[in-house]
Amino acid sequence: MVITVTSILTIVKKIIDISIVWLMFYIILKSIRNSVKLTLLFKGVIIIIALKIISDICGFTTVGILLEYIIMYGPLALIVIFQPEIRNILEQLGRNQLLGRHKVLTVDERERLVYEIVQAMDYLRKSKIGALIVLERDISLGNYIDKAKKIYADLSSDLLISIFFPNNPLHDGGVIIQGNRITCAGAVFPTSNSTKLNKRVGTRHRAALGIAEETDAIALVVSEETGRLSIAVKGEMFYNLSLDDVRMMLIDELKPKVASEYDEELEEEEIYEEDN
């Protein structure tokens, strides 16, 4: 059997074709699993298909014709009835970004980003000014940006402080940072109902954990009552952090995965050389 370039390309195309179909099925089934209504819908479709097969085998003409009409016009009815659920699935797909803006920052830009945020949080905690700063990563926060006040300004500690300064119209909401720019202020996030949250924390902490549960964003909080610093990330809340803790967590979380693995390899090499 002679293997040609054409036959290889044909095989590759078939593999890609099958992979795309399986990916589509995976995304659809994952979305169905996370929605009670879509789960019931999926079960209903399976039952209708099973009844159609049984009616064809047994020769139930009337039932078969009725099921054919359901199968023919059912999809249109389902689109109308389950429009909110379908929209949510499409929105969820749209939120996923192939490359988060924080990943394209240079090392210097990332260090400056962390420096400006830490400087602002230092002033805010000393002055006991409440703040909620959210850093977008791979999952888009476009839904919240659309409903907030657009800024699109270069990040600076002075600008962050002025946004959260008391009596500022935008100080009650959250700030969203994309890459090294402040995209918007006055953003409203979903509040968490987690039982792990301290009952004494306010709306800012609940909103921070809420967005950290829903997306992969990093949410920084300055308590208005105590001036204490907290970070919500990966669905967890870390309380009473020092400025050094905030700095180290930000550097670690904003570091690209590939870079993190490379740094770990360098550290292991350095330790090995020191031991020898």
Side-chain angles (χ1 to χ4, degrees):
M1 181 180 177
V2 180
I3 299 175
T4 63
V5 175
T6 305
S7 62
I8 293 174
L9 287 175
T10 303
I11 294 171
V12 171
K13 287 179 181 179
K14 289 181 178 179
I15 293 173
I16 294 173
D17 188 21
I18 294 170
S19 300
I20 291 172
V21 172
W22 276 110
L23 180 62
M24 289 170 60
F25 272 110
Y26 170 75
I27 293 172
I28 292 170
L29 291 174
K30 185 178 179 182
S31 301
I32 290 172
R33 186 189 64 181
N34 295 332
S35 174
V36 176
K37 290 184 179 180
L38 289 179
T39 302
L40 296 174
L41 170 63
F42 183 73
K43 290 179 180 178
V45 171
I46 295 297
I47 292 171
I48 290 173
I49 293 173
L51 288 174
K52 176 60 178 171
I53 294 171
I54 294 170
S55 68
D56 290 343
I57 294 173
C58 299
F60 298 151
T61 306
T62 306
V63 175
I65 293 173
L66 180 62
L67 290 174
E68 282 181 6
Y69 278 110
I70 292 175
I71 293 172
M72 187 182 301
Y73 298 106
L76 181 60
L78 293 176
I79 290 173
V80 175
I81 296 171
F82 291 93
Q83 182 183 358
E85 285 73 21
I86 295 172
R87 185 176 67 248
N88 288 337
I89 291 173
L90 295 175
E91 287 177 353
Q92 188 63 40
L93 291 175
R95 287 181 184 179
N96 294 324
Q97 303 179 134
L98 294 177
L99 190 63
R101 299 189 189 186
H102 67 288
K103 292 181 180 178
V104 298
L105 296 177
T106 64
V107 175
D108 290 339
E109 287 174 335
R110 210 159 46 237
E111 288 179 353
R112 180 166 181 78
L113 167 70
V114 173
Y115 173 80
E116 294 293 342
I117 291 174
V118 170
Q119 286 293 105
M121 293 185 74
D122 185 27
Y123 179 91
L124 294 169
R125 74 180 179 91
K126 290 177 179 177
S127 305
K128 291 188 177 180
I129 298 173
L132 173 56
I133 303 170
V134 177
L135 285 77
E136 180 191 82
R137 292 204 281 181
D138 292 337
I139 297 179
S140 172
L141 300 179
N143 284 350
Y144 306 103
I145 294 171
D146 291 340
K147 300 172 185 177
K149 184 67 176 178
K150 313 300 186 300
I151 295 179
Y152 299 117
D154 291 333
L155 175 66
S156 70
S157 57
D158 291 337
L159 181 54
L160 282 174
I161 292 169
S162 65
I163 290 173
F164 291 110
F165 205 79
N167 300 324
N168 187 316
L170 300 175
H171 85 283
D172 283 333
V175 161
I176 295 179
I177 296 174
Q178 292 180 309
N180 58 352
R181 290 175 64 82
I182 299 176
T183 302
C184 67
V188 178
F189 304 107
T191 55
S192 173
N193 294 319
S194 174
T195 55
K196 297 179 182 179
L197 265 175
N198 191 321
K199 294 181 179 179
R200 291 178 293 179
V201 299
T203 306
R204 283 193 181 90
H205 287 81
R206 294 191 175 277
L209 185 57
I211 194 64
E213 290 173 339
E214 188 173 301
T215 70
D216 64 345
I218 306 169
L220 311 167
V221 184
V222 180
S223 173
E224 189 172 350
E225 295 180 359
T226 63
R228 293 175 179 173
L229 309 179
S230 303
I231 292 182
V233 62
K234 298 174 183 175
E236 293 186 50
M237 178 69 78
F238 300 89
Y239 299 98
N240 304 331
L241 302 176
S242 66
L243 279 175
D244 286 336
D245 293 333
V246 172
R247 183 183 295 106
M248 295 307 298
M249 285 189 70
L250 281 177
I251 291 173
D252 185 58
E253 293 294 337
L254 291 173
K255 189 183 299 180
K257 188 176 180 181
V258 175
S260 300
E261 293 175 353
Y262 178 71
D263 290 342
E264 288 176 2
E265 291 177 1
L266 286 179
E267 289 178 3
E268 290 176 359
E269 290 178 2
E270 290 176 359
I271 293 171
Y272 178 77
E273 290 174 359
E274 288 176 1
D275 291 340
N276 292 316

Short mmCIF file of all heavy atoms in Angstrom, two decimals, residues 211-246:
data_model
loop_
_atom_site.label_atom_id
_atom_site.label_comp_id
_atom_site.label_asym_id
_atom_site.label_seq_id
_atom_site.Cartn_x
_atom_site.Cartn_y
_atom_site.Cartn_z
N ILE A 211 -17.90 36.54 41.82
CA ILE A 211 -17.27 36.60 40.50
C ILE A 211 -16.13 35.58 40.40
O ILE A 211 -15.84 35.06 39.31
CB ILE A 211 -16.76 38.03 40.18
CG1 ILE A 211 -16.44 38.17 38.69
CG2 ILE A 211 -15.56 38.39 41.04
CD1 ILE A 211 -17.61 38.02 37.78
N ALA A 212 -15.48 35.27 41.53
CA ALA A 212 -14.41 34.27 41.53
C ALA A 212 -14.97 32.86 41.39
O ALA A 212 -14.28 31.96 40.90
CB ALA A 212 -13.59 34.37 42.82
N GLU A 213 -16.22 32.66 41.82
CA GLU A 213 -16.88 31.36 41.64
C GLU A 213 -17.37 31.18 40.21
O GLU A 213 -17.34 30.09 39.66
CB GLU A 213 -18.06 31.24 42.60
CG GLU A 213 -17.66 31.09 44.06
CD GLU A 213 -18.86 31.15 44.99
OE1 GLU A 213 -19.92 31.69 44.58
OE2 GLU A 213 -18.74 30.66 46.13
N GLU A 214 -17.81 32.27 39.60
CA GLU A 214 -18.41 32.21 38.27
C GLU A 214 -17.36 32.24 37.16
O GLU A 214 -17.57 31.68 36.08
CB GLU A 214 -19.37 33.38 38.09
CG GLU A 214 -20.20 33.32 36.82
CD GLU A 214 -21.25 34.41 36.77
OE1 GLU A 214 -22.10 34.45 37.67
OE2 GLU A 214 -21.21 35.20 35.81
N THR A 215 -16.22 32.91 37.41
CA THR A 215 -15.17 33.03 36.40
C THR A 215 -13.81 32.73 37.03
O THR A 215 -13.72 32.38 38.21
CB THR A 215 -15.15 34.45 35.81
OG1 THR A 215 -14.67 35.37 36.81
CG2 THR A 215 -16.54 34.88 35.35
N ASP A 216 -12.75 32.89 36.22
CA ASP A 216 -11.39 32.69 36.75
C ASP A 216 -10.73 34.01 37.13
O ASP A 216 -9.50 34.09 37.26
CB ASP A 216 -10.54 31.95 35.72
CG ASP A 216 -10.33 32.75 34.45
OD1 ASP A 216 -11.07 33.74 34.24
OD2 ASP A 216 -9.44 32.40 33.65
N ALA A 217 -11.54 35.05 37.31
CA ALA A 217 -11.01 36.38 37.65
C ALA A 217 -10.40 36.40 39.04
O ALA A 217 -10.70 35.55 39.89
CB ALA A 217 -12.12 37.42 37.55
N ILE A 218 -9.54 37.39 39.27
CA ILE A 218 -8.95 37.63 40.60
C ILE A 218 -9.65 38.87 41.18
O ILE A 218 -9.66 39.92 40.55
CB ILE A 218 -7.44 37.90 40.51
CG1 ILE A 218 -6.74 36.76 39.76
CG2 ILE A 218 -6.84 38.08 41.90
CD1 ILE A 218 -5.30 37.07 39.41
N ALA A 219 -10.25 38.73 42.35
CA ALA A 219 -10.98 39.84 42.97
C ALA A 219 -10.29 40.28 44.25
O ALA A 219 -10.10 39.48 45.17
CB ALA A 219 -12.42 39.42 43.27
N LEU A 220 -9.89 41.56 44.29
CA LEU A 220 -9.21 42.13 45.45
C LEU A 220 -10.18 43.01 46.23
O LEU A 220 -10.90 43.81 45.62
CB LEU A 220 -8.00 42.96 45.00
CG LEU A 220 -7.05 42.28 44.00
CD1 LEU A 220 -6.11 43.29 43.39
CD2 LEU A 220 -6.27 41.18 44.68
N VAL A 221 -10.17 42.88 47.55
CA VAL A 221 -11.12 43.63 48.38
C VAL A 221 -10.38 44.37 49.49
O VAL A 221 -9.48 43.81 50.13
CB VAL A 221 -12.17 42.70 49.03
CG1 VAL A 221 -13.20 43.52 49.81
CG2 VAL A 221 -12.86 41.85 47.97
N VAL A 222 -10.77 45.62 49.69
CA VAL A 222 -10.31 46.40 50.84
C VAL A 222 -11.54 46.67 51.70
O VAL A 222 -12.53 47.24 51.22
CB VAL A 222 -9.66 47.73 50.42
CG1 VAL A 222 -9.20 48.51 51.66
CG2 VAL A 222 -8.49 47.49 49.48
N SER A 223 -11.50 46.25 52.95
CA SER A 223 -12.63 46.43 53.84
C SER A 223 -12.77 47.88 54.26
O SER A 223 -11.79 48.51 54.68
CB SER A 223 -12.49 45.54 55.08
OG SER A 223 -13.49 45.82 56.03
N GLU A 224 -13.97 48.41 54.15
CA GLU A 224 -14.22 49.80 54.53
C GLU A 224 -14.22 49.97 56.04
O GLU A 224 -13.87 51.03 56.56
CB GLU A 224 -15.57 50.24 53.95
CG GLU A 224 -15.84 51.73 54.09
CD GLU A 224 -17.09 52.16 53.34
OE1 GLU A 224 -17.62 51.34 52.55
OE2 GLU A 224 -17.52 53.31 53.52
N GLU A 225 -14.59 48.92 56.76
CA GLU A 225 -14.69 49.00 58.23
C GLU A 225 -13.34 48.79 58.91
O GLU A 225 -13.00 49.49 59.87
CB GLU A 225 -15.69 47.97 58.74
CG GLU A 225 -17.12 48.23 58.27
CD GLU A 225 -18.08 47.18 58.80
OE1 GLU A 225 -17.61 46.25 59.51
OE2 GLU A 225 -19.28 47.27 58.52
N THR A 226 -12.57 47.81 58.43
CA THR A 226 -11.33 47.46 59.12
C THR A 226 -10.07 47.80 58.33
O THR A 226 -8.98 47.84 58.89
CB THR A 226 -11.32 45.95 59.42
OG1 THR A 226 -11.33 45.21 58.17
CG2 THR A 226 -12.53 45.55 60.25
N GLY A 227 -10.20 48.02 57.01
CA GLY A 227 -9.03 48.27 56.17
C GLY A 227 -8.26 47.01 55.83
O GLY A 227 -7.20 47.07 55.21
N ARG A 228 -8.80 45.85 56.20
CA ARG A 228 -8.10 44.59 55.91
C ARG A 228 -8.23 44.21 54.43
O ARG A 228 -9.21 44.54 53.78
CB ARG A 228 -8.66 43.47 56.79
CG ARG A 228 -8.34 43.67 58.27
CD ARG A 228 -9.00 42.62 59.12
NE ARG A 228 -8.68 42.80 60.54
CZ ARG A 228 -9.22 42.11 61.53
NH1 ARG A 228 -10.15 41.19 61.26
NH2 ARG A 228 -8.87 42.32 62.77
N LEU A 229 -7.22 43.48 53.96
CA LEU A 229 -7.16 43.10 52.56
C LEU A 229 -7.55 41.63 52.38
O LEU A 229 -7.18 40.78 53.20
CB LEU A 229 -5.75 43.32 52.01
CG LEU A 229 -5.12 44.70 52.26
CD1 LEU A 229 -3.72 44.74 51.69
CD2 LEU A 229 -5.99 45.79 51.65
N SER A 230 -8.28 41.35 51.32
CA SER A 230 -8.69 39.99 51.00
C SER A 230 -8.60 39.76 49.50
O SER A 230 -8.68 40.71 48.71
CB SER A 230 -10.13 39.72 51.47
OG SER A 230 -10.28 39.97 52.85
N ILE A 231 -8.45 38.51 49.12
CA ILE A 231 -8.42 38.14 47.70
C ILE A 231 -9.32 36.93 47.50
O ILE A 231 -9.25 35.95 48.24
CB ILE A 231 -6.99 37.80 47.23
CG1 ILE A 231 -6.11 39.05 47.22
CG2 ILE A 231 -7.03 37.19 45.82
CD1 ILE A 231 -4.70 38.78 46.71
N ALA A 232 -10.17 37.01 46.48
CA ALA A 232 -11.01 35.87 46.08
C ALA A 232 -10.48 35.36 44.74
O ALA A 232 -10.37 36.13 43.78
CB ALA A 232 -12.47 36.29 45.95
N VAL A 233 -10.16 34.10 44.69
CA VAL A 233 -9.64 33.51 43.46
C VAL A 233 -9.96 32.02 43.45
O VAL A 233 -9.92 31.35 44.49
CB VAL A 233 -8.11 33.75 43.35
CG1 VAL A 233 -7.36 33.08 44.48
CG2 VAL A 233 -7.58 33.27 42.00
N LYS A 234 -10.35 31.51 42.28
CA LYS A 234 -10.66 30.09 42.10
C LYS A 234 -11.72 29.62 43.09
O LYS A 234 -11.64 28.50 43.63
CB LYS A 234 -9.39 29.24 42.24
CG LYS A 234 -8.33 29.56 41.19
CD LYS A 234 -7.05 28.81 41.44
CE LYS A 234 -5.98 29.20 40.42
NZ LYS A 234 -4.67 28.56 40.70
N GLY A 235 -12.70 30.47 43.35
CA GLY A 235 -13.80 30.09 44.22
C GLY A 235 -13.48 30.08 45.70
O GLY A 235 -14.26 29.56 46.51
N GLU A 236 -12.35 30.65 46.11
CA GLU A 236 -11.96 30.70 47.52
C GLU A 236 -11.65 32.13 47.93
O GLU A 236 -11.19 32.93 47.12
CB GLU A 236 -10.74 29.81 47.78
CG GLU A 236 -11.00 28.33 47.62
CD GLU A 236 -9.79 27.51 48.04
OE1 GLU A 236 -9.28 27.74 49.16
OE2 GLU A 236 -9.35 26.65 47.25
N MET A 237 -11.90 32.43 49.22
CA MET A 237 -11.62 33.75 49.76
C MET A 237 -10.48 33.66 50.77
O MET A 237 -10.50 32.82 51.68
CB MET A 237 -12.87 34.32 50.44
CG MET A 237 -12.68 35.67 51.08
SD MET A 237 -12.42 37.00 49.88
CE MET A 237 -14.09 37.28 49.32
N PHE A 238 -9.49 34.52 50.58
CA PHE A 238 -8.34 34.57 51.50
C PHE A 238 -8.40 35.90 52.26
O PHE A 238 -8.32 36.97 51.65
CB PHE A 238 -7.03 34.45 50.72
CG PHE A 238 -6.92 33.16 49.94
CD1 PHE A 238 -7.41 33.09 48.63
CD2 PHE A 238 -6.36 32.03 50.50
CE1 PHE A 238 -7.31 31.91 47.90
CE2 PHE A 238 -6.26 30.85 49.78
CZ PHE A 238 -6.75 30.79 48.48
N TYR A 239 -8.52 35.82 53.59
CA TYR A 239 -8.75 37.00 54.42
C TYR A 239 -7.46 37.50 55.06
O TYR A 239 -6.46 36.78 55.18
CB TYR A 239 -9.73 36.68 55.56
CG TYR A 239 -11.09 36.23 55.12
CD1 TYR A 239 -11.42 34.88 55.07
CD2 TYR A 239 -12.08 37.15 54.78
CE1 TYR A 239 -12.68 34.45 54.70
CE2 TYR A 239 -13.34 36.73 54.41
CZ TYR A 239 -13.64 35.38 54.37
OH TYR A 239 -14.88 34.97 53.99
N ASN A 240 -7.54 38.77 55.53
CA ASN A 240 -6.51 39.37 56.39
C ASN A 240 -5.10 39.19 55.83
O ASN A 240 -4.19 38.72 56.52
CB ASN A 240 -6.58 38.80 57.80
CG ASN A 240 -7.96 38.98 58.41
OD1 ASN A 240 -8.68 39.91 58.09
ND2 ASN A 240 -8.33 38.06 59.30
N LEU A 241 -4.92 39.58 54.59
CA LEU A 241 -3.62 39.43 53.94
C LEU A 241 -2.76 40.67 54.15
O LEU A 241 -3.28 41.78 54.24
CB LEU A 241 -3.81 39.19 52.44
CG LEU A 241 -4.65 37.97 52.03
CD1 LEU A 241 -4.81 37.94 50.52
CD2 LEU A 241 -4.03 36.68 52.53
N SER A 242 -1.46 40.46 54.20
CA SER A 242 -0.54 41.59 54.24
C SER A 242 -0.29 42.06 52.81
O SER A 242 -0.65 41.39 51.84
CB SER A 242 0.78 41.16 54.88
OG SER A 242 1.44 40.21 54.07
N LEU A 243 0.35 43.22 52.67
CA LEU A 243 0.68 43.73 51.34
C LEU A 243 1.60 42.77 50.59
O LEU A 243 1.46 42.57 49.38
CB LEU A 243 1.33 45.11 51.44
CG LEU A 243 0.39 46.30 51.63
CD1 LEU A 243 1.20 47.57 51.83
CD2 LEU A 243 -0.58 46.45 50.47
N ASP A 244 2.53 42.16 51.32
CA ASP A 244 3.43 41.19 50.69
C ASP A 244 2.66 39.97 50.21
O ASP A 244 2.97 39.42 49.14
CB ASP A 244 4.53 40.77 51.68
CG ASP A 244 5.56 41.86 51.88
OD1 ASP A 244 5.71 42.71 50.96
OD2 ASP A 244 6.23 41.87 52.93
N ASP A 245 1.67 39.54 51.01
CA ASP A 245 0.84 38.40 50.59
C ASP A 245 0.10 38.73 49.29
O ASP A 245 0.04 37.91 48.37
CB ASP A 245 -0.18 38.05 51.68
CG ASP A 245 0.47 37.50 52.93
OD1 ASP A 245 1.56 36.92 52.82
OD2 ASP A 245 -0.12 37.66 54.03
N VAL A 246 -0.48 39.93 49.24
CA VAL A 246 -1.21 40.37 48.04
C VAL A 246 -0.28 40.41 46.84
O VAL A 246 -0.61 39.92 45.75
CB VAL A 246 -1.85 41.75 48.26
CG1 VAL A 246 -2.45 42.28 46.96
CG2 VAL A 246 -2.92 41.67 49.34
#
